Structure formats: C-alpha cells, structure tokens
Amino acid sequence: MTSSFRPKSGRFKTVAALAASSLVFGLAACSGGQTTDDAGPVGGEYDPISIAATPPDGPLIPTDTEEAGRKTLVWLIFDGLVRIDQSGEVVNEVAESIETEDAVTFTVKVKSDQKFADGSAVTAKSFVDAWNWGAQAENVQKAAGDLAVIKGYSEVHPSEVGVEPTATELSGLTVVDDLTFTIELAEPWSGFRAHLTSVVFSPLPQAFFDDPEAWKETPFGNGPYQIQGQIDESTGTYLELNPNYTGTRTPHNTGIYYRYYTDPDAIYQDVLADNLDVGSASGGGLLTAQADFGDRFLTGPGGPTQTLTFPLYDEFWASDNGLLVRQAISHAINRQEIIDTIFGGLGAPAKDFTQIGLYGWRDDIPGGEVLDFDLAQAKALLDQAGGYAGERLPIYYNGDGAHKEWVEAVSYQLRENLGINAVPTPITTFPEFLEQRDKHEFTGPWRASEIPFNPSLDDILRNVYSQTGGASNQSGWTSQEYEDLLQRGRSAATTDEAVVFFNQAQEVLFQDLPALPLWYTYRSVIHSNKVTNVIPSPTGGNLVHLYERAD
C-alpha cells in the first residue's frame, strides 16, 4: 500500500547544461561517492543549503543523463544498486547482494525495504523495466550506451544506421521474483560491479511507465531528496527530503538549493559574503582562497583530467604530419608552469589519459614522455612535420566556464615556443560549444575535462576514447588494436590482470594522440560560515547529504 504522497507540482523546463567548470566537477558532477551514516534525518524548518551548480540539460531520466548539471540532480533523487564509499570502494546500496561465478551472469537481490518517493516499493522489476526502456532505440537516451554490455543490446538498439530493432527487451535481463533478477552480459567482465555505479543503472517507479511525460513534469526517484517546485534554468533548483527514503545516505540538512551560475567569480564573492553556502575557487580565486577562507578552503586530488582533444575527422589532423604537430604541441606546453601560475599549484601534470589515484594507475606508461615539456624536441618535431600550415590555430572552449585563463596561457606558450598562432576561441555557452563540437565544426583542438565515474581505469578509456558501447568519443579517432585491448581487459579474470591490458591500451593512445592530457586538477571547495561538515569525497564525489547548518 502506498502513501498519499504526490510529488509537488511544477513544470520541468528542458534546458542545456551550462559551463562544466571546476565547481561542478568538484562538488556535484563526479562519481557518487557517498558515506553511510546512522544519524536520523534532521528536523525543523526548511532551510536548504545553497550550492553553486549548472542547470540540467534535459529531463531527469537516468538513462538520458550525461552532462554535469543533470547528474547532480539525478544522483540526489535516485539510489542505485551500488555506490562508491569514502574510501573509493564499491559497496552495496539498494542491492542486498550481487553474486557471480563466471563474470558473465550476475544474480542481484534487492533490499526489501526500499521505496520510491511516492511510497511504492523498489523491486527487481523497477530496475529491469528501467534498463529495458532506456535501451530501446526509439527512446533516444543519451547514456544508453552504458547498457550495451548487457546481452541483447544490439537487438534492442542496433548501432548500424537504418537497421531496425528486432527486440524490445534485453535478453540478458530476467526477473526471478519480486526482489531478485539476473544480468547476463554479452561477454565476461570482471569490473561490471563497478560499472553499476553509473546513474544509468538507477530504477524507475511504475508512475514513470504509466505516464512518462507526466513523470518528467514532476520527477521523483528513490534517493534521499526530491525536487521541490520547478526547475528553473535561470535561477536554480530546490530539493527537499524524501519522506519515504530508507537508504543509507541519511541527510544532515533539511534540503539543498542548487543555484545556477555562469560567472565563476560571482561564486567566489557570494561564498565570501556568506550569500552562498558552498562553491569553488577558480582563476584568480585559487591564489587568494587560503587567505580569504582559511580552513573553509578545502582542496585535494579528485578533480577532472584536463585535455585538449583534436579533430581527427579533419584530413590534416588525421595525417602523419598532423600527428607530428600534436606531439610538438604537447612538448611545447609547460604544464607545471600553468598549474603554478593559473591554479596556484593546485594540480599535477598529467602522466596518462585517466586520473591519478585510480586502481592500476601508472606514471610511466611507454609513450607518456610525449607529455614532458621539451622545447628542443617540440621544435624538431614541428620541423619534421614541415611546420603548421594554418594561419591560426583556434583553441576552443566554452566562455561561460572557468577556462579562459588557462586556455590563454596555453595559447601564449604555443606562440612563444613554436611560433604557432594559437588563438583562444570562446564559444559563448556550453550548449553551443557541445553543439558545434558534435557537428564537427571545430578545426582545431578543444578543451575537455575527463573524470571517471567509478574506480576502474577503463571508465574514461571506454567512455571517452572508444567507439563502442555508446562512448562519447567526438574526435573521430578509431583503433581496432585499442578496442581489442580494452575488451581483453574487461574480460580478464581479475582486476590486476585487467589493468595490464588497460594500460597497454593507453600505449596506443600515446602513439596516436587523439587528445593531449594536460593536468590533473584538484578540487577546490570553499564554503561559508553558515555550514559545517563539508567533506569532499576522495573520489571527488557528491557528499551534500552530510552538509550541516552551523550552530
């Protein structure tokens, strides 16, 4: 029997995500690393903690969620089968158990006391129905590719243009009873349990299937919070406590207000004035945050890996000379100098294509020396390529994010060190930036921030650089050798065996250089005097449920 609760009214406005700046990645757009806490839910008058963020780029359907603004909200209104705890380990959340004997077939038992915000039970069917719906090609879900590892995906969602689906359900999913279902993968994958941390694998309530359009107007899930009122892309989103929540992320506050910003400097000043509770420092703020905030300035590893991605769909960049120019550019960038001058030393030069601290991460992958600052080598490579023939080298970035200063610094170094007329080229908003990128309108490199959503090396390697499984590879680069190595890693018997193949795949990336890793950014959280218990996760995760009002 369900309660009388109904989600509050309010029309959801479909919007495009704005800047994916450091404030989003540091606070709300990373892996869902959460902590378990036995404290009971807070009471008292609704007094939401305000957090700087960017708006969602569409409705809050988990399988349609890729960009930071949407993930921020989906992570708070949904709980998945597993989560990442503060130590970086994958632990059960809604799942009572996940068992496998062969890394192909997984038996999942769902906890019996889990509920959606409308009081209805979370069951095995809640997951199976959600994933089947998300996989169907006709529903055009942006993140459906995460489901491609499940047997039968190619029949439900053919990758070939013009090929019609031959099934409407994933053959690898079977409901055993109310709280039990099985998942059969297309191929063995020892790291599948970590893959389940993706928001794509969230359940959906029956109300969604009864009327998807109505649910999108008033979205709700099984997480610790629920949307209050409406989402307004020009101001922000209020969240209140889910009264039917039975999970482990017990909130220490009465709610959250995600306030949307386009100016990183405004975030800094609002937190400093106690007009915003939690934000991040960027640009010049990184140089003054320690003095301005003291112990209310929190920093450490866990931010995204910043890269320059190249348009290998372009004839020149796909050529041998194009590769030589990319190598020259990489050697001509003094990464440490930019980290010190622009980021106040809060970062580290990149040594690979993933993120420092992941299991199996190495700083000595063969070919990685191309990331070293070596001006003599840079000039020699450029000469070998016959120079760069273009009159200008545009470096694209979204102008509404915190990227202007470092892009200008990189451009300056390339002009001074190589004589290449590198020109910072801002695209006004993040939606416009993504649209031009996806239409292959860029003729030079563009900034990208890559971050894993689980502790495995292959998360970034598959989702960013692969051409399979719905990956977001926009460079046009392909390599069968790379794909084969990824697959060998995913089907390895142990994690230790898997990382050997994943790092061999990175050797292929270093050979072809579809992108140039620049640096690992550090999180830079600042908070007002009005909140306490602001604890960033080691994985850069979202721990807003722990934020508390100061006495």
Side-chain angles (χ1 to χ4, degrees):
M1 180 176 178
T2 61
S3 73
S4 59
F5 166 84
R6 290 190 61 81
K8 295 194 176 182
S9 62
R11 181 172 184 81
F12 181 91
K13 299 181 180 180
T14 301
V15 297
L18 295 179
S21 64
S22 59
L23 69 96
V24 177
F25 286 108
L27 300 176
C30 308
S31 61
Q34 311 293 346
T35 58
T36 302
D37 193 278
D38 294 329
V42 299
E45 183 178 353
Y46 182 64
D47 183 18
I49 291 174
S50 57
I51 304 172
T54 58
D57 62 339
L60 305 185
I61 304 172
T63 51
D64 203 31
T65 301
E66 281 189 325
E67 297 300 333
R70 215 184 313 192
K71 275 194 171 80
T72 298
L73 298 176
V74 170
W75 268 318
L76 292 191
I77 70 171
F78 284 100
D79 273 352
L81 291 170
V82 296
R83 59 179 171 83
I84 301 174
D85 68 11
Q86 271 199 273
S87 67
E89 295 295 318
V90 178
V91 299
N92 289 341
E93 179 58 58
V94 179
E96 184 71 42
S97 63
I98 302 174
E99 299 178 349
T100 183
E101 295 181 354
D102 57 8
V104 174
T105 300
F106 294 76
T107 299
V108 179
K109 292 188 179 296
V110 177
K111 292 177 181 177
S112 61
D113 60 345
Q114 303 296 292
K115 294 180 179 180
F116 290 105
D118 66 348
S120 61
V122 178
T123 66
K125 192 172 183 292
S126 306
F127 288 95
V128 171
D129 286 353
W131 303 355
N132 277 328
W133 188 92
Q136 292 170 11
E138 65 182 32
N139 292 325
V140 195
Q141 298 292 282
K142 291 182 179 179
D146 276 1
L147 299 165
V149 298
I150 300 174
K151 184 179 179 181
Y153 183 83
S154 59
E155 287 74 37
V156 176
H157 198 130
S159 59
E160 299 83 2
V161 176
V163 176
E164 292 295 322
T166 58
T168 59
E169 296 183 348
L170 297 165
S171 59
L173 297 179
T174 302
V175 174
V176 177
D177 57 41
D178 284 351
L179 297 176
T180 309
F181 69 102
T182 60
I183 308 167
E184 183 180 357
L185 305 184
E187 296 175 315
W189 186 12
S190 58
F192 177 66
R193 191 165 176 271
H195 186 55
L196 289 171
T197 58
S198 167
V199 296
V200 169
F201 294 97
S202 302
L204 283 171
Q206 185 58 42
F208 172 85
F209 303 103
D210 292 341
D211 192 340
E213 294 305 314
W215 182 90
K216 284 189 285 186
E217 298 278 346
T218 55
F220 65 93
N222 63 321
Y225 296 92
Q226 63 189 31
I227 304 296
Q228 181 188 86
Q230 70 179 35
I231 295 173
D232 186 336
E233 70 272 18
S234 65
T235 57
T237 300
Y238 287 91
L239 297 102
E240 60 188 358
L241 302 184
N242 171 3
N244 287 306
Y245 184 63
T246 56
T248 63
R249 292 186 291 162
T250 303
H252 290 210
N253 48 67
T254 63
I256 301 296
Y257 174 47
Y258 282 116
R259 184 181 297 170
Y260 300 145
Y261 284 81
T262 59
D263 181 1
D265 292 335
I267 294 170
Y268 188 96
Q269 294 302 322
D270 279 354
V271 178
L272 189 61
D274 281 349
N275 292 326
L276 175 71
D277 291 320
V278 184
S280 70
S282 61
L286 290 171
L287 305 179
T288 59
Q290 188 64 59
D292 285 344
F293 292 93
D295 61 6
R296 293 183 290 116
F297 173 49
L298 310 172
T299 186
T305 299
Q306 194 71 245
T307 70
L308 285 179
T309 301
F310 283 78
L312 268 65
Y313 50 77
D314 177 89
E315 182 178 358
F316 168 74
W317 291 115
S319 69
D320 290 341
N321 284 340
L323 173 59
L324 290 171
V325 172
R326 293 197 298 280
Q327 292 171 339
I329 289 173
S330 184
H331 280 304
I333 298 173
N334 189 332
R335 292 161 171 79
Q336 188 63 58
E337 181 178 73
I338 292 175
I339 291 169
D340 291 341
T341 57
I342 303 299
F343 300 108
L346 300 177
K351 298 296 184 181
D352 81 325
F353 284 82
T354 65
Q355 186 189 68
I356 189 170
L358 297 181
Y359 187 82
W361 179 87
R362 289 172 48 189
D363 63 0
D364 60 349
I365 295 171
E369 58 273 9
V370 74
L371 304 182
D372 296 338
F373 177 58
D374 187 335
L375 193 51
Q377 180 70 357
K379 292 179 178 179
L381 287 164
L382 188 62
D383 287 343
Q384 186 179 345
Y388 176 69
E391 293 183 2
R392 61 196 297 273
L393 175 70
I395 299 181
Y396 300 94
Y397 67 98
N398 51 297
D400 55 2
H403 309 293
K404 181 176 184 288
E405 290 179 299
W406 74 257
V407 173
E408 288 180 343
V410 167
S411 300
Y412 174 81
Q413 289 187 351
L414 296 182
R415 291 194 299 270
E416 291 294 303
N417 294 338
L418 289 180
I420 292 176
N421 184 26
V423 180
T425 308
I427 308 301
T428 304
T429 67
F430 194 46
E432 292 172 316
F433 172 87
L434 293 177
E435 181 180 7
Q436 292 186 34
R437 182 201 67 179
D438 295 349
K439 289 183 177 179
H440 290 181
E441 295 179 359
F442 293 163
T443 59
W446 61 88
R447 76 94 193 159
S449 298
E450 316 300 355
I451 195 161
F453 294 102
N454 68 59
S456 175
L457 289 174
D458 73 318
D459 187 88
I460 283 180
L461 298 180
R462 183 183 68 86
N463 286 317
V464 179
Y465 299 106
S466 175
Q467 289 284 354
T468 63
S472 58
N473 180 348
Q474 301 295 331
S475 70
W477 176 74
T478 62
S479 167
Q480 190 57 51
E481 181 185 6
Y482 179 79
E483 304 292 356
D484 291 344
L485 286 166
L486 284 187
Q487 185 52 51
R488 292 181 70 184
R490 289 159 66 86
S491 60
T494 67
T495 303
D496 287 339
E497 293 176 13
V499 298
V500 172
F501 293 111
F502 294 149
N503 282 325
Q504 287 177 358
Q506 291 208 70
E507 293 182 39
V508 179
L509 285 173
F510 277 124
Q511 291 168 14
D512 292 356
L513 278 187
L516 302 181
L518 297 176
W519 43 76
Y520 311 113
T521 59
Y522 285 2
R523 291 165 293 142
S524 58
V525 181
I526 52 178
H527 67 88
S528 73
N529 290 293
K530 296 180 179 180
V531 290
T532 62
N533 212 36
V534 178
I535 306 173
S537 164
T539 59
N542 182 339
L543 297 174
V544 301
H545 68 290
L546 295 180
Y547 297 174
E548 298 178 1
R549 278 288 173 215
D551 294 333

